[in-house]
Amino acid sequence: MRKSAIIGLITIAICVCFLVSLNADTSSYSTFSEAARDTREFHVMGFWAKEKGIYYDAQKDANHFAFFMKDEKGAVNKVVYNGTKPQDFERSEKLVLIGEMKSGTFYASKILMKCPSKYNNDLVEVKQDGKVEKYN
């Protein structure tokens, strides 16, 4: 075989390996039950379970924030975030947690929030079950 053909095959093999490794890291949204089955990091989307409250005491430990979240399937689970409570957490419509499940508790490394638009003139109310009602 010629030298250029060998270099071409090696380059193609490296590109294929690179594309496969990129595809392996992509993930869609999961539920708490899926996160409990595996030790890798998951993205879980859901709503804050307001009736269960939150735990954040900046005087004791400013880097400990705990709350309960209801995922898209309706399962409620405790969430612990080792960081400060996100600003406007109570106003968020949806949450996306990035983290892993350990011993029945979801440990979030990141919290992404979807908050109501400040440019929307319609009045909305976020119910405890996460549903949003518009008022005219």
Side-chain angles (χ1 to χ4, degrees), residues 1-110:
M1 244 185 184
R2 286 189 284 160
K3 196 183 241 186
S4 61
I6 294 173
I7 292 173
L9 288 174
I10 291 173
T11 304
I12 290 172
I14 290 171
C15 290
V16 167
C17 290
F18 178 72
L19 290 175
V20 168
S21 70
L22 283 178
N23 192 30
D25 288 340
T26 61
S27 66
S28 59
Y29 295 118
S30 303
T31 61
F32 286 129
S33 60
E34 292 171 1
R37 286 187 235 136
D38 200 348
T39 58
R40 62 187 172 99
E41 194 169 76
F42 284 90
H43 292 70
V44 179
M45 182 186 291
F47 306 98
W48 171 42
K50 294 178 184 179
E51 65 277 359
K52 301 239 183 191
I54 60 174
Y55 174 78
Y56 180 69
D57 188 356
Q59 299 294 332
K60 278 187 173 179
D61 186 2
N63 289 320
H64 181 80
F65 174 53
F67 61 96
F68 287 84
M69 187 176 98
K70 183 186 293 188
D71 68 11
E72 293 182 314
K73 299 261 177 144
V76 178
N77 208 51
K78 182 178 181 180
V79 176
V80 174
Y81 176 62
N82 289 324
T84 60
K85 184 180 91 158
Q87 185 177 349
D88 295 333
F89 177 81
E90 291 85 359
R91 295 183 54 218
S92 64
E93 288 180 2
K94 277 190 174 181
L95 300 170
V96 176
L97 305 176
I98 302 170
E100 59 187 354
M101 187 77 81
K102 292 180 187 172
S103 304
T105 301
F106 192 85
Y107 289 90
S109 58
K110 290 183 186 175

